[in-house]
């Protein structure tokens, strides 16, 4: 008699009674500010990118005597071993997925926020940012852990798992490379109308950044017209170049602290995970890189110290190396794409716009000129390598350029009397997927 | 909730109609069968009619009935209840002789906190500790009285124990709450156990298996300890009980842990000085101190002066000036009684303890008042209890001294330190800074910077006041025969107020002030921390509201069927609020404080190059809320009192688990059956007249508050570069989070031999922890690498054997209680491997599949190198001294697992002799099949001039020594890898098996039989000695296996006490 009464009486208020947070200081992210704060976790990982591709890309080398002191993962990457990780977990795989996880937490959390006039702009920015982070991370993963994009076979090539749900219990299969690129492009396109034109803090995405990322992706896909269009869009929001003549070559770091001050070329700031390899004293640019700079090219002294160690990052630091989006990359993308679509004059004009800012103004500037595609591309690609050194783009450039016999490169290292080579289009241009992932979700491993 | 109360009150006023009929009167007398003396206050009831009376001072009674055929039930405490069939009218008065109940298997009511069940019908595994057994021990706290008398329950000893330090049948959890649930007066008790006065406790029931504990649902996985406090009785004359005792404890044994001798210590200092080890420290910018001998050596002091220091050992000073004999005084008075419709219990208790460390004291005042009123012929009962406990703890004592070493690390005090000089003045010790620096500070006009340990003890003013209220109110209404509805409400409030005033005279305050003092060029001083004391407050309040509504149904049909059932719902809301704050520049006299700037940075006076020092900010606040809604039911059916079937179920919902789990619900349930085999007609085994089989199966639960079902994040201060606030996800969403479950199977046999010579029980159990919260590696593409969730399992099994024998039953009585418990528990379904260092550390749990939760893992030991006395291990199967490689290459699975670090076999053996009024008993306990790790000499510390273990003296010094020592040679230079290998090598693992004489109780009882004038009177004088000593141990060391790494084992205490009732 009493019992049913009590039960019926209690049920109504039980839900509210049990909704109380167990600990006051537990922050359950709920507000736009909370979600923005999750995305602003840049220094720890949200604005960070792969480091092993830069150990493998052949632009820098260390003394042979230092190789043994590298940890196994970096040593194996340096020597292009088949098994890179030896069962270990690895940041290059884990952290982009953590970025995607955060983005998904934010995107899902936003569904519970009511959109009103007063918050709509903020809401859009947070949502656009989350979509952009997801695309940026997925693009990083694809360049390292999936095979090189080829339009004809993209439907058959295995991609990397795409995560669009924050539920950590879900296991996702690999899908196709085409699926990966579709996801990247649709996330960026969805983010564009939501993002501000340019963002005051370059660790946060903007329309300029979204277009720049699209240009980068379309270049990789060989969609040259679209890449021209997107880089033009991006440059319309932010197109300035630094005149390197204004910089002081004698200081330790010629560029300002990129995370704080942002020079005017930075559109979107990310940097490389800490790498022990790049921490070594003997790390220096390979001779086939630094020998290519002209004596009147200011970059030689701004980028390198006397022993050809790198000092010219847009991060203004020796450890956190800038790998984000910048206007110089856009000029180079557009120049290359103009050249590839037969528009040689426009291509050379874009290149010269950039190169004038890099040339010592005490000597007369001689414009670069070409009259056929191959010549133009040869010049543009050489400048691309020299300009975008340490930006984390060389690996993906090697992968796509090796498909073209005109621009194939063989990388070579020596260690303990043995010569290690990475031939064009080698399977080792795709990193293996870390073992814990293979075991946990049962996905297919890459052949190496 | 008030609606519920209204409902109950409304029920209370339903009037009852009584039909008038013809009545007969029954008259009679109740006597003691032994000597025919009248029994005063025996209760006589007419069965099924709920009518009753009591015998008067002559043992006479009168009762009337309208039925002609009735059954009378006559009962009195200490006597067997008698039932007689009477046909009315009667010709002569009845003479009813009651038999004294001194059989061992008396009718024991087991209180589960929800209901009382007679033991004979119970299917589950309970241990009841009655008042007499609880009072065998003298102690300030209640829980320690369970030690060594409760089968299946073991106290974890030494360092790294839980609160309470008790496990019942193992620990079926990894990360969650490890202690059993303690229930006081029907509700979980979360205050400080030391606030309970043991003299208020009537009995304790320990619930061990599923049937017993599942009624407690989500928190019963580690067993439940149900404490029932005393209360009054209806129709009971006023009874006063007084208990007082004094307990004296020895001083702790400062020489228990072996330490390097003073002479060796000084010789090492001389050697290190010779090697210029102190050279860099002499110019240390942090002004780290150098010990007196080193200072003397720097000054080129006299050899004879240094030699003279070798006679001192600071532990003698500890013993003389920091320690004392402890003295605990306990006084308690309680009064109980009751009339026809009312009963009460009042008590006052006072404890005053002086700890064996000078400056540490404890006192406690407890008050308790309980009242129960009944109305409408006892159909309605109200009770209200108020319990109040206030304790004050002072902790100004110093148990051991550590100082800063020459290079800034912390070290034990140099052994030749003296706390007092020959003239009796208190001496400063070399503490955190060099003497020359202190001289400079003195010249600059800073506060005196000496550290004088004995002065600190008297200057100290560190008090914790703990106040605990518990208010219970309940209403019970008998709706009809056998059906009772009740509502219970409990409010508790436990507050801890800690106040640590470190006055300006204290070293702490002087050091804080001095360290940031600025000396201006003109010599004037600026003090960012104002002159005055530093006072720290820590306030914690734990508040809980509990409401329970319950129906009890108990009915018997035709003396064949019996149903005992309860069902109810419960709400619990607990709020825990903790605040800490600190005041600087405190002026005790006027309660004024100074202001400080927490944001500014200051230059250190000590090390002027350190410029970013801030004033310590100790302010913080925390708030925790636990909420539960639970529904439960327990039904027991018995047939012929021979077959019983019990079922219980409980559904818990909580704010800890989140919506999904609450919606789904994980019911915890149990089923049990029992069979009184000896009641069967075919049972002819007369040597064992009582034999009962019982078995239960079911699930208990456990809670881990460290994880949450929600996505939680923590906010960090602004990023130094971007200036943006950022957040990190702490806990990914875990909508599937649920409480841990423990599956328990219990199989038991209860027996009693003819005339109760031997009785006891044998129980086998399996305990399986399921869905235990553990850390598991996760697919990295999920965004996380590992995840804390319901992953691990444990598998436990064991048995409890209890044997009670009454060996002699003449004038000299000799009884013996023996119990033997085993527990074997391993982790299963756990894929994650910890690091080698986490396994080496035997105090933390690092699960490994197939191994117990607490184990001793070691590096394999290959003895000492005969060439140089280096310790040797194995590297890839080969003997090696490449310590760096051994440490690197040894994987967790390569470590030598020796065994559990918690006893897997334990028990006790208690003998009681009584002759006339004298009684003597002693309890021998044993703990077997486990291991401990002893301390090792740390040659690294020795080479740092920090002293170390006394094994130093046994070290390998020349070839051949390896035949009689396992202690390596002194290395030529510090080698941390060598030490880490040696410290965790097999050679330090020792068998823990031992037998100890835990305690002795001697008492003299003077009791008077019931007379007309005084209902009862008893006087007892007792002597109790606790921690008597270890009788046998497997280890050859002088260590107490349970306290191998403690500073010292518990001291022996002797109590004398007096108890009397009138």
């Amino acid at each position: 008699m009493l019992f049913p009464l009590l039960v019926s009486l209690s049920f109504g208020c039980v839900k509210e009674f049990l909704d109380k947070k167990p600990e006051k200081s537990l922050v359950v992210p709920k507000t736009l500010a909370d979600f923005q704060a999750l995305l602003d976790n840049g220094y720890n990982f949200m604005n960070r990118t792969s480091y092993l591709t830069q150990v493998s890309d052949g632009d820098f080398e260390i003394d042979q005597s230092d190789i043994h002191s590298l940890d196994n993962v970096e040593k194996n990457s340096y020597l292009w071993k088949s098994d890179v990780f030896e069962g270990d977990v690895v940041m290059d795989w884990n952290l982009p997925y953590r970025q995607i996880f955060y983005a998904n937490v934010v995107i899902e959390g936003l569904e519970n926020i009511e959109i009103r006039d007063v918050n709509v702009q903020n809401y859009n920015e947070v949502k656009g940012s989350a979509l952009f982070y997801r695309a940026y991370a997925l693009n990083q993963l694809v360049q390292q852990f999936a095979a090189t994009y080829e339009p004809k076979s993209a439907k058959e090539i295995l991609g990397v798992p795409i995560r669009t749900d924050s539920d950590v219990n879900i296991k996702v299969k690999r899908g196709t490379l085409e699926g990966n690129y579709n996801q990247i492009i649709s996330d960026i396109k969805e983010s564009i109308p939501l993002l501000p034109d340019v963002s005051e803090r370059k660790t946060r995405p903007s329309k300029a950044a979204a277009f720049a990322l699209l240009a980068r992706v379309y270049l990789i896909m060989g969609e040259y017209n679209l890449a021209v269009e997107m880089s033009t869009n991006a440059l319309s929001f932010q197109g300035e170049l630094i005149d390197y003549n204004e910089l002081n070559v004698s200081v330790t770091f010629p560029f300002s602290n990129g995370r704080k001050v942002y020079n005017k070329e930075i559109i979107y700031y990310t940097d490389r995970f800490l790498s022990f390899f790049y921490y070594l004293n003997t790390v220096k640019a390979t001779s086939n890189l630094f020998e290519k700079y002209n004596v009147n090219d200011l970059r030689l002294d701004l980028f390198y110290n006397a022993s050809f160690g790198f000092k010219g990052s847009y991060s203004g630091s020796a450890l956190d190396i800038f790998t984000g989006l910048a206007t110089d990359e856009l000029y180079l993308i557009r120049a290359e794409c103009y050249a590839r679509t037969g528009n040689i004059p426009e291509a050379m004009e874009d290149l010269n716009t950039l190169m004038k800012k890099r040339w010592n103004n005490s000597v007369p500037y001689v414009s670069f000129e070409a009259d056929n595609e191959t010549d133009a591309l040869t010049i543009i690609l050489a400048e691309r390598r020299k300009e975008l050194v340490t930006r984390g783009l060389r690996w993906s450039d090697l992968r796509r350029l090796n498909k073209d016999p005109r621009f194939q490169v063989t990388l070579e290292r020596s260690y303990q009397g043995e010569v290690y080579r990475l031939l064009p289009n080698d399977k080792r241009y795709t990193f293996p997927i870390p073992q814990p992932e293979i075991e946990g979700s049962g996905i297919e491993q890459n052949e190496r | 909730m008030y609606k519920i109360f209204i409902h109950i009150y409304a029920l209370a006023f339903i009037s009852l109609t009584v039909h008038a009929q013809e009545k007969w009167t029954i008259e009679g007398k109740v006597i003691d069968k032994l000597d025919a003396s009248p029994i005063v206050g025996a209760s006589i009831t007419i069965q099924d009619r709920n009518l009753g009376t009591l015998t008067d001072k002559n043992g006479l009674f009168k009762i009337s009935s309208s039925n002609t055929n009735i059954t009378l039930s006559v009962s009195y405490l200490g006597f067997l209840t008698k039932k007689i069939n009477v046909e009315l009218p009667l010709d002569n008065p009845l003479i009813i002789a009651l038999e004294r109940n001194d059989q061992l298997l008396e009718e024991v009511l087991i209180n589960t906190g929800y209901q009382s069940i007679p033991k004979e019908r119970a299917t589950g595994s309970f241990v009841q500790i009655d008042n007499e057994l609880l009072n065998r021990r003298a102690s300030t706290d209640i829980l320690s009285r369970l030690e060594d008398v409760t089968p299946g329950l073991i106290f974890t000893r030494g360092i790294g124990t839980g609160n309470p330090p008790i496990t019942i049948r193992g620990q079926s959890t990894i990360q969650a709450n490890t202690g059993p649930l303690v229930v006081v007066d029907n509700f979980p008790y979360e205050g400080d156990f030391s606030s309970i006065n043991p003299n208020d406790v009537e009995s304790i029931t320990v619930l061990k298996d599923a049937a017993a504990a599942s009624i407690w649902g989500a928190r019963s996985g580690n067993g439940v300890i149900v404490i029932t406090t005393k209360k009054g009785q209806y129709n009971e004359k006023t009874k006063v009980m007084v208990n007082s005792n004094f307990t004296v404890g020895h001083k702790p044994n400062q020489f228990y842990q072996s330490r390097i001798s003073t002479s060796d210590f000084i010789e090492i200092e001389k050697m290190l000085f010779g090697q210029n080890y102190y050279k860099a420290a002499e110019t240390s910018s942090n002004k780290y101190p150098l010990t007196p001998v080193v200072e003397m050596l720097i000054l080129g002091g006299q050899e004879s002066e240094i030699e003279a220091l070798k006679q001192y050992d600071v532990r003698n000073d500890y013993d003389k000036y920091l320690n004392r004999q402890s003295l605990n005084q306990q006084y308690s008075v309680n009064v109980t009684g009751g009339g026809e419709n009312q009963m009460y219990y009042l008590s006052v208790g006072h404890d005053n303890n002086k700890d064996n460390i000078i400056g540490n004291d404890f006192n406690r005042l407890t008050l308790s008042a309980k009242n129960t009123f009944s109305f409408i012929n006892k159909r309605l009962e109200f009770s209200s209890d108020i319990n109040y406990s206030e304790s004050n703890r002072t902790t100004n004592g110093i148990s051991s001294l550590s100082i800063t070493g020459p290079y800034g690390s912390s070290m034990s005090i140099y052994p030749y330190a003296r706390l007092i000089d020959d003239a009796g003045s208190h001496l400063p010790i070399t503490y955190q800074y060099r003497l020359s620096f202190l001289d400079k500070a003195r010249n600059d006009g800073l506060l005196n910077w000496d550290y004088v340990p004995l002065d600190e003890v008297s200057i100290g003013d560190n008090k914790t006041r703990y106040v605990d209220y518990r208010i219970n109110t309940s209403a019970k209404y008998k709706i009809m025969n056998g059906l009772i509805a009740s509502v219970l409400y409990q409010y508790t409030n436990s507050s801890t107020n800690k106040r640590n005033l470190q006055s300006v005279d204290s070293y702490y305050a002087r050091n804080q002030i001095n360290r940031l003092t600025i000396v201006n060029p003109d010599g004037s001083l600026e003090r960012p921390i104002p002159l005055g004391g530093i006072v720290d407050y820590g306030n914690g309040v734990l508040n809980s509201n509990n409401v329970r509504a319950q129906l009890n149904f108990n009915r018997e049909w035709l003396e064949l069927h019996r149903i005992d059932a309860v069902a109810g719902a419960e709400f619990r809301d607990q709020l825990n609020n903790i605040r800490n704050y600190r005041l600087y520049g405190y002026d005790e006299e006027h309660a004024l404080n100074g202001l400080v700037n927490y944001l500014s940075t200051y230059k250190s006076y000590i090390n002027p190059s350190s410029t970013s020092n801030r004033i310590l900010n100790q302010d913080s606040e925390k708030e925790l809320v636990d909420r539960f809604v639970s529904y439960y039911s327990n039904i027991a059916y018995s047939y012929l009192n021979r077959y019983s079937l019990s079922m219980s179920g409980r559904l818990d919902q909580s704010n800890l688990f989140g919506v999904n789990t609450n919606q789904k619900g994980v019911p915890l349930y149990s089923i049990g059956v029992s069979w009184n085999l000896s009641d069967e007609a075919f049972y002819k085994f007369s040597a064992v007249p009582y034999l009962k089989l019982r078995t239960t199966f079911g699930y208990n639960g456990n809670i881990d508050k460290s994880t949450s079902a929600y996505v939680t994040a923590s906010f960090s201060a602004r990023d130094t570069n971007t200036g943006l606030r950022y957040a990190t996800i702490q806990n990914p969403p875990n909508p599937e989070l649920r409480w841990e479950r423990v599956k328990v199977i219990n199989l038991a046999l209860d027996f009693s031999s003819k005339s109760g010579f031997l009785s006891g029980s044998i129980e086998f159990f399996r305990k399986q922890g399921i869905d235990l919260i553990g850390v598991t590696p996760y697919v990295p593409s999920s965004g996380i690498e590992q995840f804390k969730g319901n992953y691990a399992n444990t598998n436990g099994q064991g048995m409890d054997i209890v044997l009670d024998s009454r060996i002699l039953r003449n004038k000299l009585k000799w009884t013996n209680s023996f119990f033997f418990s085993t527990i074997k528990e391993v982790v299963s379904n756990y894929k994650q491997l910890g690091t080698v260092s986490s396994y080496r550390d035997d105090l933390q749990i690092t699960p490994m599949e197939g191994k117990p939760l607490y184990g001793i893992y070691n590096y394999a030991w290959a003895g000492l190198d005969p060439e140089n006395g280096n310790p040797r291990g194995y590297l890839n199967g080969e003997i090696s001294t490449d310590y760096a490689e051994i440490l690197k290459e040894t994987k967790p699975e390569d470590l030598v697992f020796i065994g559990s670090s918690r006893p897997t076999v334990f028990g006790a053996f208690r003998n009681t002799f009584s002759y006339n009024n004298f009684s003597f008993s002693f309890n021998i306990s044993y703990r077997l099949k486990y291991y401990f790790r002893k301390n090792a000499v740390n040659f690294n510390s020795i080479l740092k001039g920090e002293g170390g273990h006394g094994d130093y003296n046994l070290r390998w010094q020349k070839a051949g020594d390896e035949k009689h020592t396992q202690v390596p040679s002194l290395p030529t230079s510090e080698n941390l890898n060598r030490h880490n290998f040696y410290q965790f090598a097999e050679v330090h693992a020792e068998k823990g098996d031992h037998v100890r004489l835990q305690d002795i109780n001697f008492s003299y009882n003077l009791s008077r039989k019931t007379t007309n004038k005084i209902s009862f009177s008893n006087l007892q004088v007792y002597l109790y000695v606790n921690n008597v000593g270890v009788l046998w141990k497997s280890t050859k060391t002088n260590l107490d296996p349970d306290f191998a790494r403690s500073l010292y084992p518990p001291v022996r205490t002797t109590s004398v006490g007096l108890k009397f009732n009138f």
Side-chain angles (χ1 to χ4, degrees), chain B residues 283 490 617 637 764 957 1016 1019:
Chain B
T283 52
Q490 188 190 57
N617 183 347
Y637 166 74
F764 296 93
Q957 300 191 49
F1016 197 67
L1019 176 83

Side-chain angles (χ1 to χ4, degrees), chain B residues 838-900:
Chain B
S838 67
Y839 289 108
R840 292 186 324 208
D841 178 356
D842 52 301
L843 297 180
Q844 89 183 64
I845 304 186
T846 312
M848 188 190 283
E849 199 166 55
K851 299 287 190 307
L853 285 170
Y854 293 90
I856 307 264
Y857 296 86
N858 309 284
Y859 291 113
W861 176 248
L864 298 179
D865 191 328
E867 306 257 303
N868 49 26
N870 278 333
R872 294 184 306 182
Y874 290 93
L875 181 62
N876 304 324
E878 306 272 312
I879 291 181
S880 166
T881 53
D882 187 345
Y883 309 114
E885 282 300 307
I886 293 174
L887 298 190
K888 207 172 125 194
E889 292 301 320
T890 306
K891 300 278 175 294
E893 56 273 26
D894 302 333
L895 291 169
V896 179
F897 171 75
I898 281 221
S900 170

Side-chain angles (χ1 to χ4, degrees), chain B residues 154-330:
Chain B
I154 190 165
F155 275 65
T156 47
R157 291 174 178 157
I159 37 183
T161 58
N163 182 35
I166 291 175
T167 61
I168 297 172
R169 289 185 166 180
Q171 176 185 313
S172 309
T173 186
I174 295 167
Q175 313 233 335
N177 190 24
T178 59
L181 177 68
V182 178
V183 173
V184 178
D185 287 340
N186 305 321
F187 289 104
Y189 183 78
E190 308 223 3
D192 186 339
F193 301 116
S194 74
S195 72
I196 301 168
N197 175 5
N199 291 299
D200 283 338
V201 175
E202 175 61 35
S203 66
I204 297 182
T205 311
V206 178
L207 316 180
K208 297 194 292 190
D209 70 346
S214 67
I215 192 76
W216 285 102
R219 309 211 300 168
S220 60
N222 302 318
V224 183
I225 295 173
V226 180
I227 298 177
T228 310
T229 60
K230 289 176 182 162
K231 45 178 179 264
Q233 301 274 330
Y234 288 120
N235 299 306
E236 181 192 43
K237 286 209 168 154
T238 301
K239 211 155 79 176
V240 180
M241 280 164 275
V242 178
N243 183 9
S244 173
N245 60 58
F246 294 83
T247 303
V248 178
H250 287 254
K251 281 183 178 182
N253 177 6
Q254 292 291 354
F255 293 85
Y256 173 68
Q257 290 286 358
S258 167
R259 276 189 65 178
I260 188 168
S261 71
T262 306
S263 139
D264 281 345
F265 187 91
I266 289 177
E267 287 307 316
I268 291 163
E269 289 195 318
K270 284 181 10 198
M271 176 191 89
L272 292 172
F273 183 79
Q275 294 167 356
N276 283 329
Y277 167 72
Y278 298 102
K279 206 80 204 158
E282 283 176 45
T283 52
S284 137
S285 51
N286 289 317
K287 318 294 188 295
Y288 293 131
L290 295 174
T291 54
V293 165
V294 178
E295 294 282 15
M296 284 159 134
L297 291 167
I298 291 168
L299 295 174
Q302 290 292 313
E303 183 63 19
S304 62
E305 266 180 79
I306 292 174
E307 279 304 302
L309 289 175
K310 289 189 176 173
Q311 63 176 301
Y312 299 111
D313 189 323
V314 72
R315 291 177 290 177
N316 290 317
D317 281 15
Y318 276 31
D319 183 63
K320 264 190 230 157
Y321 308 115
L322 295 176
N323 294 159
R324 65 183 169 196
Q325 288 203 330
S326 67
L327 173 64
N328 296 357
Q329 296 162 268
Q330 185 168 72

Side-chain angles (χ1 to χ4, degrees), chain A residues 334-348:
Chain A
R334 196 164 67 180
E336 181 182 340
C337 294
Y338 276 138
R340 287 189 186 274
T341 51
N343 192 343
I344 310 295
E346 295 267 31
M348 297 319 286

Side-chain angles (χ1 to χ4, degrees), chain B residues 526-564:
Chain B
E526 258 178 70
R527 294 191 164 109
I529 297 181
L531 263 177
I534 296 174
V535 60
D536 284 307
Y537 293 94
N539 298 332
V541 179
L542 186 75
N543 233 320
S544 76
N545 282 286
N546 297 278
V547 184
R548 178 186 300 165
Q550 182 172 307
L551 283 178
N552 285 50
F553 180 75
N554 309 84
R555 189 170 270 185
E556 203 174 282
W557 288 276
L558 311 163
E559 302 223 344
L560 287 175
H561 310 278
R562 188 184 166 88
I563 285 185
D564 296 274

Side-chain angles (χ1 to χ4, degrees), chain A residues 1-7 9-11 13-29 33-45 89 93-95 97-102 105 108 161 163 165-172 201 203-204 257 259-262 434 436-437 439-441, chain B residues 1 3-4 7-8 11 479 485-487 548-551 567-573 575 621-629 631-632 653-656 659 662-663 705 708 710-716 719-730 732-736 778-785 787 791:
Chain A
M1 164 169 41
L2 173 74
F3 183 63
L5 176 93
L6 178 79
V7 171
L9 180 127
S10 60
F11 267 125
C13 57
V14 162
K15 205 188 161 299
E16 282 161 51
F17 182 74
L18 295 176
D19 262 353
K20 184 86 180 172
K21 260 198 295 184
E23 191 178 338
K24 215 175 186 178
S25 64
L26 275 187
V27 180
V28 179
D34 293 343
F35 295 130
Q36 181 67 62
L38 286 174
L39 299 178
D40 281 336
N41 201 336
Y43 182 67
N44 293 316
F45 49 84
V89 292
W93 177 267
N94 294 3
L95 292 196
Y97 274 113
R98 192 180 300 173
Q99 293 162 6
I100 292 172
F101 168 64
Y102 270 52
V105 166
E108 284 161 27
R163 295 227 163 219
D165 192 312
S166 72
D167 187 341
V168 294
N169 294 301
I170 298 174
K171 285 176 182 156
V172 181
R201 291 197 178 78
T203 50
R204 289 182 180 174
N257 177 345
R259 263 203 222 102
K260 203 173 192 167
V261 186
Y262 323 115
E437 182 70 38
E439 283 169 13
S441 51
Chain B
M1 288 318 297
K3 283 187 184 166
I4 299 160
H7 195 74
I8 281 289
L11 281 173
I479 298 167
S486 54
V487 175
R548 178 186 300 165
Q550 182 172 307
L551 283 178
E570 192 173 287
F571 293 76
R572 178 174 176 82
D573 183 1
L575 177 77
E621 182 171 335
K622 197 172 181 177
E623 195 176 295
L624 306 162
V625 180
D626 285 10
R627 285 180 170 179
F628 285 91
V629 176
Y631 309 95
Y632 60 89
Q653 302 184 331
S654 154
N655 68 328
L656 301 170
V659 184
N662 283 340
Q663 276 171 354
K705 289 189 194 172
S708 167
Y710 306 100
V711 188
T712 60
S714 68
F715 280 83
S716 306
D719 182 310
T720 45
N721 287 311
T722 60
L724 295 169
R725 210 169 63 117
Y726 63 94
T728 308
I729 292 179
Q730 294 298 316
N734 185 7
E736 299 301 313
Y778 240 65
V779 183
S781 69
S782 63
I784 54 171
E785 284 98 65
F787 190 52
Y791 294 106

